[in-house]
Amino acid sequence: MPLPQTPARILLGTVFALTMHPLLAADFPVPAEGDWTIRDFHFRSGAVFPALTLHYRTIGAPSGIPVLLLHGTAQSGASLLAPQFGGALFGPGQPLDASRYFVILPDAIGHGKSSKPSDGLRAGFPRYSTEDMVEAQHQLITEHLGIPHLRMVLGYSMGGMETWIYAQKYPAMMDIAVPMASLPTEMAGRNWMLRRLISDTIRNDPAWMNGNYTTQPRSAQSSSVFFGLATNGGSQALQKAAPTRVKADALLDARLAAPFPADANDVLYQWESSRDYDPSAGLERITATLLAINSADDERNPPELGIMERALQRIKNARMLLIPGSELTAGHGTAFRADLWKESLAELLQQTPQPMK
């Protein structure tokens, strides 16, 4: 079924025509970028934001099969252009070949070039949630881009959490849902405790000054490095990279000394956005064909909890792909490597029926 040619889609088509020839190093078209402002956006907290801007990128022609891809916490849609992700998906002959698909990569609220605390409001910015992100992206897709139906929603980490919410909040909107590196349960356990330590560390830093700092609090970087080492990277891979105390110290020192361009308020809001995440009550509402992709060494979503197996029993057409851990995988970051699951994705796209046109 041809998609309606709204002004936004016509504009994107023009941009696409102008940028189709140059190719990225990963051999897919240069993304087109845009911004859209939602007037009087209503947050779940009750706050009303007069002008919420969402930034987005698209790859492929607007007439292609639309798919929505969602990024992780503290990332942006640009992160999904990385060689290990988009480089394995968007090129000729790959599962989301840009000559056939229209790939949409939004920056979530509080991330990238979308509206966020560091734009000026600082700690006065409304506290947003996973559901707020989903609602804003749904408005972007339907109202601005004029897309009534998506072939697929796929998300990594925070994007996976959004996919669980999207699939039950708007079940008729997609044929396929692929949540990755996430669990369909209340944010709890080690995952939440370590997230809270990031925000607590920033809030307790004397330099934070209730969000009105003049110099970036160092705690944002140190707590982010702590969280990253505790919940990402893979135990086997980290042991291989740092088999002695000297090498472990060198790795840690390098991470602490690396440039950290993020804003402390943005970091605090990003990790706190998951505070009320809990899609567990609405799993039966999911009608899309669902493939949950997780890894056996995921520190944030350990498979031994059995949460995924119990949840998938409540969904009509759902299964899990569990990637085995090894010294070549990266714990929570394993699912970001599309080469480990792109064949399963291609089969899913081929085998899942499309609605009657």
Side-chain angles (χ1 to χ4, degrees), residues 249-295:
D249 282 340
L251 189 152
L252 177 59
D253 290 341
R255 293 198 181 187
L256 289 172
F260 189 75
D263 176 81
N265 283 329
D266 290 347
V267 171
L268 188 154
Y269 272 65
Q270 287 163 356
W271 291 107
E272 285 193 340
S273 68
S274 61
R275 65 195 177 281
D276 56 358
Y277 167 75
D278 186 5
S280 60
L283 296 178
E284 285 82 2
R285 293 198 294 269
I286 297 175
T287 58
T289 298
L290 188 142
L291 174 64
I293 300 177
N294 278 19
S295 57

Side-chain angles (χ1 to χ4, degrees), residues 73-112:
T73 307
Q75 298 177 340
S76 71
S79 66
L80 303 182
L81 303 174
Q84 65 268 40
F85 195 91
L89 296 176
F90 307 146
Q94 293 176 339
L96 297 177
D97 186 332
S99 68
R100 297 184 59 235
Y101 287 90
F102 182 52
V103 182
I104 306 158
L105 308 167
D107 291 353
I109 297 173
H111 293 70

Side-chain angles (χ1 to χ4, degrees), residues 40-239:
D40 297 325
F41 182 80
H42 289 252
F43 287 85
R44 291 184 70 236
S45 65
V48 179
F49 203 68
L52 181 74
T53 297
L54 289 184
H55 186 78
Y56 61 96
R57 296 163 182 82
T58 62
I59 303 171
S63 57
I65 303 167
V67 293
L68 175 64
L69 273 59
L70 305 172
H71 64 79
T73 307
Q75 298 177 340
S76 71
S79 66
L80 303 182
L81 303 174
Q84 65 268 40
F85 195 91
L89 296 176
F90 307 146
Q94 293 176 339
L96 297 177
D97 186 332
S99 68
R100 297 184 59 235
Y101 287 90
F102 182 52
V103 182
I104 306 158
L105 308 167
D107 291 353
I109 297 173
H111 293 70
K113 298 179 183 179
S114 291
S115 293
K116 53 189 177 297
S118 62
D119 290 341
L121 286 180
R122 299 189 173 197
F125 193 85
R127 297 183 74 194
Y128 56 86
S129 67
T130 308
E131 291 207 20
D132 290 323
M133 297 177 192
V134 170
E135 177 58 32
Q137 289 160 353
H138 182 69
Q139 291 186 37
L140 171 73
I141 297 297
T142 57
E143 298 177 21
H144 179 56
L145 298 180
I147 297 174
H149 187 81
L150 295 162
R151 176 61 172 156
M152 179 179 69
V153 177
L154 177 150
Y156 165 72
S157 192
M158 181 185 78
M161 293 159 61
E162 293 170 75
T163 302
W164 287 110
I165 297 293
Y166 209 128
Q168 60 183 257
K169 190 172 184 179
Y170 301 104
M173 186 66 192
M174 71 207 73
D175 302 328
I176 298 169
V178 184
M180 302 189 300
S182 58
L183 289 175
T185 190
E186 180 179 358
M187 179 56 65
R190 178 175 59 199
N191 198 353
W192 172 247
M193 287 186 279
L194 288 171
R195 289 166 186 253
R196 207 195 92 181
L197 281 172
I198 295 178
S199 56
D200 282 3
T201 300
I202 295 173
R203 291 183 190 278
N204 291 327
D205 187 335
W208 184 62
M209 300 172 61
N210 294 318
N212 297 311
Y213 43 83
T214 54
T215 302
Q216 287 290 334
R218 287 281 297 169
S219 56
Q221 180 173 17
S222 60
S223 60
S224 295
V225 170
F226 185 102
F227 182 83
L229 286 169
T231 70
N232 200 359
S235 298
Q236 295 184 65
L238 282 174
Q239 182 64 26

